[in-house]
Coordinates of all heavy atoms in Angstrom, one line a residue:
N447 N 40.3 29.0 -11.5 CA 39.3 28.9 -10.6 C 39.4 27.5 -9.9 O 39.2 26.5 -10.5 CB 37.9 29.2 -11.1 CG 36.9 29.2 -10.2 OD1 37.1 29.1 -8.9 ND2 35.6 29.5 -10.5
M448 N 39.8 27.3 -8.6 CA 40.0 26.1 -7.9 C 38.7 25.7 -7.1 O 38.9 24.9 -6.2 CB 41.2 26.2 -7.0 CG 42.5 26.5 -7.7 SD 42.9 25.1 -8.9 CE 43.2 23.7 -7.8
M449 N 37.6 26.2 -7.5 CA 36.4 25.8 -6.8 C 36.1 24.3 -6.9 O 35.7 23.6 -5.9 CB 35.2 26.7 -7.1 CG 34.0 26.5 -6.4 SD 32.8 27.8 -6.8 CE 31.7 27.4 -5.5
Y450 N 36.3 23.7 -8.1 CA 35.9 22.4 -8.3 C 37.2 21.7 -8.8 O 37.9 22.2 -9.7 CB 34.8 22.3 -9.5 CG 33.6 23.0 -9.2 CD1 33.2 24.2 -9.8 CD2 32.7 22.3 -8.3 CE1 31.9 24.7 -9.4 CE2 31.5 22.8 -8.0 CZ 31.1 24.1 -8.4 OH 29.9 24.7 -8.2
Q451 N 37.5 20.7 -8.2 CA 38.6 19.8 -8.6 C 38.3 18.8 -9.7 O 37.2 18.4 -9.8 CB 39.3 19.2 -7.3 CG 39.7 20.0 -6.2 CD 40.2 19.2 -5.1 OE1 40.2 18.0 -5.1 NE2 40.7 20.1 -4.1
T452 N 39.3 18.5 -10.4 CA 39.1 17.5 -11.5 C 38.9 16.1 -11.0 O 39.7 15.7 -10.0 CB 40.1 17.5 -12.6 OG1 41.4 17.4 -11.9 CG2 40.2 18.8 -13.2
V453 N 38.2 15.3 -11.5 CA 37.9 13.9 -11.1 C 39.0 13.0 -11.8 O 39.2 13.2 -13.0 CB 36.5 13.3 -11.4 CG1 36.2 12.0 -11.0 CG2 35.5 14.3 -10.8
P454 N 39.5 12.1 -11.1 CA 40.6 11.2 -11.7 C 40.0 10.5 -12.9 O 38.8 10.1 -12.8 CB 41.0 10.3 -10.6 CG 40.7 11.1 -9.4 CD 39.5 11.9 -9.7
A455 N 40.7 10.1 -13.9 CA 40.1 9.4 -15.1 C 39.8 8.1 -14.8 O 38.8 7.5 -15.5 CB 41.2 9.5 -16.1
D456 N 40.5 7.4 -13.8 CA 40.1 6.0 -13.6 C 38.6 5.8 -13.0 O 38.1 4.9 -13.0 CB 41.2 5.4 -12.8 CG 41.3 6.0 -11.5 OD1 41.0 7.2 -11.3 OD2 41.8 5.2 -10.4
I457 N 38.2 6.9 -12.3 CA 36.8 6.8 -11.8 C 35.7 7.0 -12.8 O 34.8 6.6 -12.8 CB 36.7 7.9 -10.7 CG1 37.7 7.5 -9.5 CG2 35.4 7.9 -10.1 CD1 37.7 8.6 -8.4
T458 N 36.2 7.8 -13.8 CA 35.2 8.2 -14.8 C 35.2 7.2 -16.0 O 34.3 7.4 -17.0 CB 35.4 9.6 -15.4 OG1 36.7 9.7 -16.0 CG2 35.3 10.6 -14.3
E459 N 35.9 6.1 -16.0 CA 35.9 5.3 -17.2 C 34.6 4.4 -17.1 O 34.2 3.9 -16.0 CB 37.0 4.2 -17.1 CG 38.4 4.9 -17.4 CD 39.6 3.9 -17.2 OE1 39.3 2.8 -17.2 OE2 40.7 4.3 -17.4
T460 N 34.1 4.2 -18.3 CA 32.7 3.4 -18.3 C 33.1 1.9 -18.7 O 34.0 1.8 -19.4 CB 31.8 4.0 -19.4 OG1 32.4 4.0 -20.6 CG2 31.4 5.5 -19.0
S461 N 32.1 1.0 -18.4 CA 32.2 -0.3 -18.8 C 30.9 -0.9 -19.1 O 29.9 -0.3 -18.8 CB 32.9 -1.1 -17.6 OG 32.0 -1.2 -16.4
M462 N 30.9 -1.9 -19.8 CA 29.6 -2.6 -20.3 C 28.8 -3.1 -19.0 O 27.6 -2.9 -18.9 CB 29.9 -3.7 -21.2 CG 28.6 -4.2 -21.9 SD 27.5 -3.1 -22.6 CE 28.5 -2.6 -24.0
R463 N 29.5 -3.6 -18.1 CA 28.9 -4.0 -16.8 C 28.3 -3.0 -16.0 O 27.1 -3.1 -15.6 CB 29.9 -4.8 -16.0 CG 29.3 -5.4 -14.7 CD 30.4 -5.9 -13.8 NE 31.1 -7.0 -14.4 CZ 32.3 -7.5 -14.0 NH1 32.8 -6.9 -12.8 NH2 32.9 -8.4 -14.6
G464 N 29.0 -1.8 -16.0 CA 28.4 -0.7 -15.3 C 27.1 -0.1 -16.0 O 26.1 0.2 -15.5
R465 N 27.1 -0.1 -17.4 CA 26.0 0.3 -18.1 C 24.7 -0.7 -17.9 O 23.6 -0.2 -17.7 CB 26.3 0.2 -19.6 CG 27.2 1.4 -20.1 CD 27.5 1.4 -21.4 NE 28.7 2.3 -21.8 CZ 29.4 2.1 -22.8 NH1 29.2 1.3 -23.8 NH2 30.4 3.0 -23.1
I466 N 25.0 -1.9 -18.0 CA 23.9 -3.0 -17.8 C 23.4 -2.8 -16.3 O 22.1 -2.8 -16.2 CB 24.5 -4.4 -18.0 CG1 24.8 -4.5 -19.5 CG2 23.5 -5.4 -17.6 CD1 25.6 -5.8 -19.8
L467 N 24.2 -2.7 -15.4 CA 23.7 -2.6 -13.9 C 23.0 -1.3 -13.8 O 21.9 -1.2 -13.1 CB 24.9 -2.7 -13.0 CG 25.5 -4.0 -12.8 CD1 26.7 -3.9 -11.9 CD2 24.5 -5.0 -12.2
S468 N 23.3 -0.2 -14.5 CA 22.6 1.1 -14.4 C 21.2 1.0 -15.1 O 20.2 1.4 -14.5 CB 23.4 2.1 -15.1 OG 24.6 2.4 -14.3
V469 N 21.2 0.2 -16.1 CA 19.9 0.0 -16.9 C 19.0 -0.7 -16.0 O 17.8 -0.4 -15.8 CB 20.1 -0.5 -18.2 CG1 18.8 -1.0 -18.8 CG2 20.7 0.4 -19.2
I470 N 19.4 -1.8 -15.4 CA 18.7 -2.7 -14.6 C 18.2 -1.9 -13.3 O 17.1 -2.0 -13.0 CB 19.4 -3.9 -14.2 CG1 19.7 -4.9 -15.3 CG2 18.6 -4.7 -13.0 CD1 20.6 -6.1 -15.1
A471 N 19.1 -1.1 -12.8 CA 18.7 -0.3 -11.5 C 17.5 0.7 -12.0 O 16.5 0.9 -11.2 CB 19.9 0.4 -11.0
M472 N 17.7 1.3 -13.1 CA 16.6 2.4 -13.5 C 15.3 1.6 -13.8 O 14.3 2.3 -13.4 CB 17.1 3.1 -14.7 CG 18.3 4.1 -14.4 SD 17.8 5.4 -13.2 CE 16.6 6.2 -14.1
V473 N 15.3 0.5 -14.5 CA 14.1 -0.2 -14.7 C 13.5 -0.6 -13.5 O 12.2 -0.6 -13.3 CB 14.5 -1.4 -15.7 CG1 13.2 -2.3 -15.8 CG2 14.8 -0.9 -17.1
S474 N 14.2 -1.1 -12.6 CA 13.7 -1.6 -11.4 C 13.0 -0.5 -10.5 O 12.0 -0.6 -9.9 CB 14.8 -2.2 -10.4 OG 15.2 -3.4 -11.1
M475 N 13.8 0.7 -10.5 CA 13.2 1.8 -9.7 C 12.0 2.4 -10.3 O 11.1 2.8 -9.7 CB 14.3 2.9 -9.5 CG 15.4 2.5 -8.6 SD 16.6 3.9 -8.3 CE 17.5 3.8 -9.8
S476 N 12.0 2.4 -11.7 CA 10.9 2.9 -12.5 C 9.7 2.1 -12.2 O 8.6 2.5 -12.0 CB 11.1 3.1 -13.9 OG 12.2 4.0 -14.1
T477 N 9.9 0.7 -12.3 CA 8.7 -0.2 -12.1 C 8.3 -0.1 -10.7 O 7.0 0.0 -10.4 CB 9.2 -1.7 -12.3 OG1 9.7 -1.7 -13.6 CG2 8.1 -2.6 -12.1
L478 N 9.0 0.0 -9.7 CA 8.6 0.2 -8.3 C 7.8 1.5 -8.1 O 6.8 1.5 -7.4 CB 9.8 0.1 -7.4 CG 10.3 -1.3 -7.1 CD1 11.7 -1.1 -6.2 CD2 9.4 -2.2 -6.4
F479 N 8.3 2.5 -8.8 CA 7.7 3.7 -8.6 C 6.2 3.7 -9.2 O 5.4 4.1 -8.6 CB 8.4 4.9 -9.3 CG 7.8 6.3 -9.3 CD1 7.8 7.0 -8.2 CD2 7.1 6.7 -10.5 CE1 7.2 8.2 -8.3 CE2 6.5 7.9 -10.4 CZ 6.5 8.7 -9.2
V480 N 6.1 3.1 -10.3 CA 4.8 2.9 -11.0 C 3.9 2.1 -10.1 O 2.7 2.6 -9.9 CB 5.0 2.3 -12.4 CG1 3.6 2.1 -12.9 CG2 5.7 3.4 -13.3
F481 N 4.3 1.0 -9.7 CA 3.4 0.2 -9.0 C 3.0 0.7 -7.6 O 1.9 0.6 -7.1 CB 4.0 -1.3 -8.7 CG 4.0 -2.2 -10.0 CD1 5.2 -2.6 -10.5 CD2 2.7 -2.4 -10.6 CE1 5.0 -3.5 -11.7 CE2 2.6 -3.2 -11.8 CZ 3.8 -3.8 -12.2
E482 N 4.1 1.3 -6.9 CA 3.8 2.0 -5.6 C 2.7 3.2 -5.7 O 1.9 3.4 -4.9 CB 5.0 2.4 -4.9 CG 5.8 1.1 -4.4 CD 5.1 0.4 -3.5 OE1 4.4 1.0 -2.5 OE2 5.3 -0.7 -3.4
T483 N 3.0 4.0 -6.8 CA 2.0 5.1 -7.1 C 0.6 4.6 -7.3 O -0.4 5.1 -6.8 CB 2.5 5.9 -8.1 OG1 3.9 6.4 -7.9 CG2 1.7 7.2 -8.4
K484 N 0.6 3.5 -8.1 CA -0.8 3.0 -8.4 C -1.4 2.5 -7.2 O -2.6 2.6 -7.0 CB -0.6 1.8 -9.4 CG -1.9 1.1 -9.9 CD -1.6 0.0 -10.9 CE -2.9 -0.6 -11.2 NZ -2.7 -1.8 -12.2
A485 N -0.7 1.7 -6.3 CA -1.2 1.2 -5.1 C -1.7 2.2 -4.1 O -2.6 2.1 -3.4 CB -0.3 0.2 -4.5
Y486 N -0.9 3.4 -4.1 CA -1.2 4.6 -3.3 C -2.6 5.2 -3.6 O -3.5 5.5 -2.8 CB -0.1 5.5 -3.2 CG -0.4 6.8 -2.4 CD1 -0.2 6.7 -1.1 CD2 -0.8 7.9 -3.0 CE1 -0.6 7.9 -0.2 CE2 -1.0 9.0 -2.3 CZ -1.0 9.0 -0.9 OH -1.2 10.1 -0.1
F487 N -2.8 5.3 -5.0 CA -4.0 6.0 -5.3 C -5.2 5.1 -5.6 O -6.3 5.5 -5.8 CB -3.7 6.7 -6.7 CG -2.9 8.0 -6.5 CD1 -1.6 8.1 -7.0 CD2 -3.4 9.1 -5.7 CE1 -0.9 9.1 -6.8 CE2 -2.7 10.2 -5.7 CZ -1.4 10.2 -6.0
S488 N -5.0 3.8 -5.5 CA -6.3 2.8 -5.6 C -6.8 2.7 -4.3 O -6.2 2.4 -3.3 CB -5.8 1.6 -6.3 OG -4.9 0.9 -5.5
T489 N -8.0 2.5 -4.2 CA -8.7 2.2 -3.0 C -9.6 1.0 -3.1 O -10.2 0.9 -4.2 CB -9.5 3.3 -2.5 OG1 -10.5 3.8 -3.6 CG2 -8.7 4.6 -2.2
T490 N -9.6 0.1 -2.3 CA -10.7 -0.9 -2.4 C -11.3 -1.1 -1.0 O -10.8 -0.8 0.1 CB -9.9 -2.3 -2.6 OG1 -9.0 -2.5 -1.5 CG2 -9.2 -2.3 -4.0
L491 N -12.6 -1.4 -1.1 CA -13.5 -1.6 0.1 C -13.8 -3.0 0.2 O -14.5 -3.5 -0.6 CB -14.7 -0.7 0.1 CG -15.7 -0.8 1.3 CD1 -15.0 -0.3 2.5 CD2 -16.9 0.0 1.0
E492 N -13.4 -3.6 1.3 CA -13.6 -5.0 1.5 C -14.3 -5.3 2.8 O -13.6 -4.9 3.9 CB -12.4 -6.0 1.3 CG -11.8 -5.9 -0.1 CD -10.5 -6.8 0.0 OE1 -10.4 -7.6 0.8 OE2 -9.7 -6.6 -0.9
T493 N -15.5 -5.8 2.8 CA -16.2 -6.0 4.1 C -16.7 -7.4 4.1 O -17.2 -8.0 3.1 CB -17.4 -5.0 4.4 OG1 -18.3 -5.1 3.3 CG2 -16.8 -3.5 4.5
G494 N -16.8 -7.9 5.2 CA -17.5 -9.3 5.3 C -17.3 -9.8 6.7 O -16.4 -9.6 7.4
L495 N -18.4 -10.5 7.1 CA -18.4 -11.1 8.5 C -19.2 -12.4 8.4 O -20.4 -12.4 7.9 CB -19.0 -10.1 9.5 CG -19.1 -10.6 10.8 CD1 -17.8 -10.9 11.5 CD2 -19.8 -9.6 11.7
T496 N -18.6 -13.5 8.7 CA -19.3 -14.8 8.7 C -19.4 -15.3 10.0 O -18.4 -15.5 10.8 CB -18.6 -15.8 7.7 OG1 -18.5 -15.2 6.4 CG2 -19.4 -17.0 7.5
L497 N -20.6 -15.8 10.4 CA -20.8 -16.5 11.8 C -21.1 -17.9 11.6 O -21.8 -18.3 10.7 CB -21.8 -15.7 12.6 CG -21.7 -14.2 12.8 CD1 -22.8 -13.5 13.5 CD2 -20.4 -13.9 13.7
N498 N -20.6 -18.8 12.6 CA -21.1 -20.1 12.6 C -22.6 -20.2 13.1 O -23.0 -19.5 13.8 CB -20.1 -20.9 13.6 CG -18.8 -20.9 13.1 OD1 -18.4 -20.9 11.9 ND2 -17.9 -21.1 14.0
N499 N -23.2 -21.3 12.5 CA -24.6 -21.5 12.9 C -24.7 -22.0 14.3 O -24.1 -23.1 14.6 CB -25.2 -22.4 11.9 CG -26.7 -22.5 12.1 OD1 -27.3 -21.9 12.9 ND2 -27.2 -23.4 11.3
N500 N -25.4 -21.4 15.2 CA -25.4 -21.9 16.6 C -27.0 -22.2 16.8 O -27.6 -21.2 17.0 CB -24.9 -20.8 17.6 CG -24.8 -21.4 19.0 OD1 -25.2 -22.5 19.2 ND2 -24.3 -20.6 19.8
D501 N -27.3 -23.4 16.9 CA -28.8 -23.6 17.1 C -29.3 -23.5 18.5 O -30.4 -23.4 18.9 CB -29.1 -25.0 16.6 CG -29.0 -25.3 15.1 OD1 -29.0 -24.2 14.4 OD2 -28.5 -26.3 14.6
E502 N -28.3 -23.6 19.5 CA -28.7 -23.5 20.9 C -29.2 -22.2 21.3 O -30.0 -22.0 22.1 CB -27.4 -24.0 21.8 CG -27.1 -25.4 21.4 CD -25.8 -25.7 22.4 OE1 -25.4 -25.0 23.2 OE2 -25.2 -26.8 22.1
D503 N -28.4 -21.2 20.9 CA -28.6 -19.7 21.4 C -28.7 -18.9 20.1 O -27.7 -18.6 19.5 CB -27.7 -19.2 22.3 CG -28.1 -17.9 23.0 OD1 -29.3 -17.4 22.6 OD2 -27.4 -17.4 23.7
P504 N -29.9 -18.4 19.7 CA -29.9 -17.6 18.5 C -29.3 -16.2 18.6 O -29.3 -15.6 17.6 CB -31.5 -17.6 18.1 CG -32.2 -17.7 19.4 CD -31.2 -18.7 20.2
R505 N -29.2 -15.8 19.8 CA -28.7 -14.5 20.0 C -27.0 -14.4 19.9 O -26.4 -15.3 20.3 CB -29.0 -13.9 21.4 CG -30.5 -13.9 21.6 CD -30.8 -13.4 23.0 NE -30.4 -14.5 23.9 CZ -30.1 -14.4 25.2 NH1 -30.1 -13.2 25.8 NH2 -29.7 -15.4 25.8
I506 N -26.7 -13.4 19.2 CA -25.2 -13.2 19.0 C -24.8 -11.8 19.4 O -25.4 -10.8 19.0 CB -24.8 -13.5 17.5 CG1 -25.2 -14.9 17.2 CG2 -23.4 -13.1 17.2 CD1 -24.9 -15.2 15.7
Q507 N -23.8 -11.6 20.2 CA -23.3 -10.3 20.5 C -22.0 -9.9 19.6 O -21.1 -10.6 19.6 CB -23.0 -10.2 22.0 CG -22.4 -8.8 22.5 CD -22.0 -8.8 23.9 OE1 -22.4 -9.7 24.7 NE2 -21.3 -7.8 24.2
L508 N -22.2 -8.8 19.0 CA -21.2 -8.4 18.1 C -20.7 -7.0 18.6 O -21.5 -6.1 18.8 CB -21.6 -8.1 16.7 CG -22.1 -9.4 15.9 CD1 -22.6 -9.0 14.6 CD2 -21.0 -10.4 15.8
N509 N -19.4 -6.8 18.8 CA -18.9 -5.6 19.2 C -17.9 -5.0 18.2 O -17.0 -5.7 17.8 CB -18.0 -5.8 20.6 CG -18.9 -6.4 21.7 OD1 -20.0 -6.0 21.8 ND2 -18.3 -7.1 22.5
F510 N -18.2 -3.9 17.8 CA -17.4 -3.2 16.8 C -16.6 -2.0 17.4 O -17.2 -1.2 18.0 CB -18.2 -2.6 15.5 CG -18.8 -3.7 14.7 CD1 -20.1 -4.2 14.9 CD2 -18.1 -4.3 13.7 CE1 -20.6 -5.2 14.1 CE2 -18.5 -5.3 12.9 CZ -19.8 -5.8 13.1
D511 N -15.3 -1.9 17.3 CA -14.5 -0.9 17.6 C -13.8 -0.2 16.4 O -12.7 -0.7 16.1 CB -13.5 -1.2 18.7 CG -12.9 0.0 19.3 OD1 -13.2 1.1 19.1 OD2 -11.9 -0.3 20.2
I512 N -14.4 0.8 15.8 CA -14.0 1.3 14.5 C -13.7 2.7 14.8 O -14.5 3.6 15.3 CB -14.8 1.2 13.4 CG1 -15.1 -0.4 13.1 CG2 -14.3 1.8 12.1 CD1 -16.3 -0.7 12.1
T513 N -12.5 3.3 14.4 CA -12.2 4.7 14.6 C -11.9 5.3 13.2 O -11.2 4.8 12.4 CB -11.0 4.9 15.3 OG1 -11.0 4.3 16.7 CG2 -10.6 6.4 15.5
M514 N -12.9 6.3 12.8 CA -12.8 7.0 11.6 C -12.7 8.6 11.9 O -13.7 9.0 12.3 CB -13.9 6.6 10.5 CG -13.8 5.2 10.1 SD -15.1 5.0 8.9 CE -14.5 3.5 8.2
M515 N -11.6 9.1 11.7 CA -11.5 10.5 12.1 C -12.3 11.5 11.4 O -12.8 12.5 12.0 CB -10.0 11.0 11.9 CG -9.0 10.1 12.8 SD -9.4 10.2 14.5 CE -8.1 9.3 15.2
D516 N -12.6 11.3 10.2 CA -13.2 12.3 9.3 C -14.7 12.0 9.0 O -15.3 12.4 8.1 CB -12.5 12.6 8.0 CG -11.1 13.3 8.4 OD1 -11.2 14.0 9.4 OD2 -10.2 13.1 7.5
L517 N -15.3 10.9 9.7 CA -16.7 10.4 9.4 C -17.5 10.9 10.5 O -17.4 10.3 11.7 CB -16.6 8.8 9.2 CG -17.9 8.3 8.9 CD1 -18.5 8.7 7.5 CD2 -17.8 6.8 8.9
P518 N -18.5 11.7 10.3 CA -19.4 12.2 11.3 C -20.4 10.9 11.7 O -20.6 10.1 10.8 CB -20.3 13.2 10.6 CG -19.5 13.7 9.5 CD -18.7 12.5 9.1
C519 N -20.8 10.9 13.0 CA -21.7 9.8 13.4 C -22.9 9.7 12.6 O -23.4 8.6 12.5 CB -21.9 9.9 14.9 SG -20.4 9.7 16.0
E520 N -23.5 10.8 12.1 CA -24.7 10.7 11.4 C -24.6 10.0 10.1 O -25.6 9.5 9.6 CB -25.1 12.2 11.1 CG -25.5 13.1 12.3 CD -24.2 13.7 12.9 OE1 -23.2 14.0 12.1 OE2 -24.1 13.8 14.1
Q521 N -23.4 9.8 9.6 CA -23.2 9.2 8.3 C -22.8 7.7 8.4 O -22.8 7.0 7.5 CB -22.2 9.9 7.4 CG -22.6 11.4 7.0 CD -21.6 12.1 6.3 OE1 -20.5 11.5 6.0 NE2 -22.0 13.3 5.8
A522 N -22.5 7.3 9.7 CA -22.1 5.9 9.8 C -23.3 5.1 10.1 O -24.2 5.3 10.9 CB -21.2 5.9 11.0
T523 N -23.3 3.9 9.2 CA -24.5 3.0 9.4 C -24.0 1.6 9.4 O -22.9 1.3 8.8 CB -25.4 3.1 8.2 OG1 -24.8 3.0 7.0 CG2 -26.1 4.6 8.1
V524 N -24.7 0.7 10.0 CA -24.4 -0.7 9.9 C -25.7 -1.4 9.6 O -26.8 -1.2 10.2 CB -24.0 -1.3 11.3 CG1 -23.8 -2.7 11.3 CG2 -22.7 -0.6 11.7
D525 N -25.6 -2.2 8.5 CA -26.9 -2.9 8.0 C -26.7 -4.4 8.4 O -25.5 -5.0 8.1 CB -26.9 -2.9 6.5 CG -27.0 -1.4 6.0 OD1 -27.7 -0.6 6.7 OD2 -26.6 -1.1 4.8
V526 N -27.7 -4.8 9.1 CA -27.7 -6.3 9.5 C -28.8 -7.0 8.9 O -30.0 -6.6 8.8 CB -27.8 -6.4 11.1 CG1 -27.9 -7.8 11.5 CG2 -26.7 -5.6 11.9
Y527 N -28.5 -8.2 8.2 CA -29.6 -9.0 7.6 C -29.3 -10.5 7.8 O -28.1 -10.9 7.9 CB -29.8 -8.6 6.2 CG -28.6 -8.8 5.4 CD1 -28.4 -10.1 4.7 CD2 -27.6 -7.8 5.1 CE1 -27.2 -10.3 3.8 CE2 -26.5 -8.0 4.3 CZ -26.3 -9.2 3.7 OH -25.2 -9.5 3.0
S528 N -30.4 -11.2 7.9 CA -30.1 -12.7 8.0 C -30.3 -13.4 6.7 O -31.3 -13.2 5.8 CB -31.1 -13.2 9.0 OG -31.0 -14.5 9.2
T529 N -29.4 -14.3 6.4 CA -29.6 -15.1 5.1 C -30.2 -16.5 5.4 O -30.3 -17.2 4.4 CB -28.2 -15.3 4.4 OG1 -27.3 -15.9 5.4 CG2 -27.7 -13.9 4.1
A530 N -30.6 -16.7 6.7 CA -31.2 -18.1 6.9 C -32.6 -18.2 6.5 O -33.4 -17.2 6.3 CB -31.1 -18.4 8.4

C-alpha cells in the first residue's frame, strides 16, 4: 500500500535540545491558555469620575455617550451625589 510514504530517518531522530524546546513550548502554551481563559471569564466593574473644584460656577455639564446593546433603558440608572 503506497498511500503513506516512509519518513527519512534523519528527520525522526530526537535530541535533548529538541526535547527541552518542546517542553518549554508546551509549558508556555499551557500557561498562556490558562491565563487567557481566566481573563476571558473574569469580569470587573470599575467606575469613577473625579471633577476639579470650581468655585466660580457651581454648575457642571456632563455628557455620557454609552452604548449597551442588551440593556433596556428602564434598567439604566445614573446616581449623582456630592461629597462636598
Side-chain angles (χ1 to χ4, degrees):
N447 189 358
M448 295 299 292
M449 186 170 187
Y450 299 106
Q451 296 180 357
T452 59
V453 178
D456 60 336
I457 295 178
T458 59
E459 289 181 12
T460 61
S461 66
M462 185 56 70
R463 183 184 302 164
R465 290 177 191 163
I466 292 172
L467 289 175
S468 294
V469 169
I470 291 172
M472 288 301 295
V473 168
S474 299
M475 288 186 288
S476 298
T477 303
L478 283 172
F479 177 77
V480 168
F481 283 125
E482 290 296 322
T483 303
K484 182 180 175 184
Y486 179 76
F487 286 113
S488 67
T489 57
T490 57
L491 177 62
E492 297 181 18
T493 59
L495 179 63
T496 304
L497 301 173
N498 292 334
N499 189 8
N500 187 1
D501 294 330
E502 295 175 12
D503 188 7
R505 296 176 296 154
I506 297 173
Q507 178 179 343
L508 298 177
N509 299 324
F510 290 96
D511 185 11
I512 301 172
T513 303
M514 295 186 160
M515 299 299 184
D516 296 329
L517 180 66
C519 291
E520 298 84 30
Q521 295 179 358
T523 61
V524 175
D525 298 327
V526 179
Y527 60 91
S528 176
T529 59

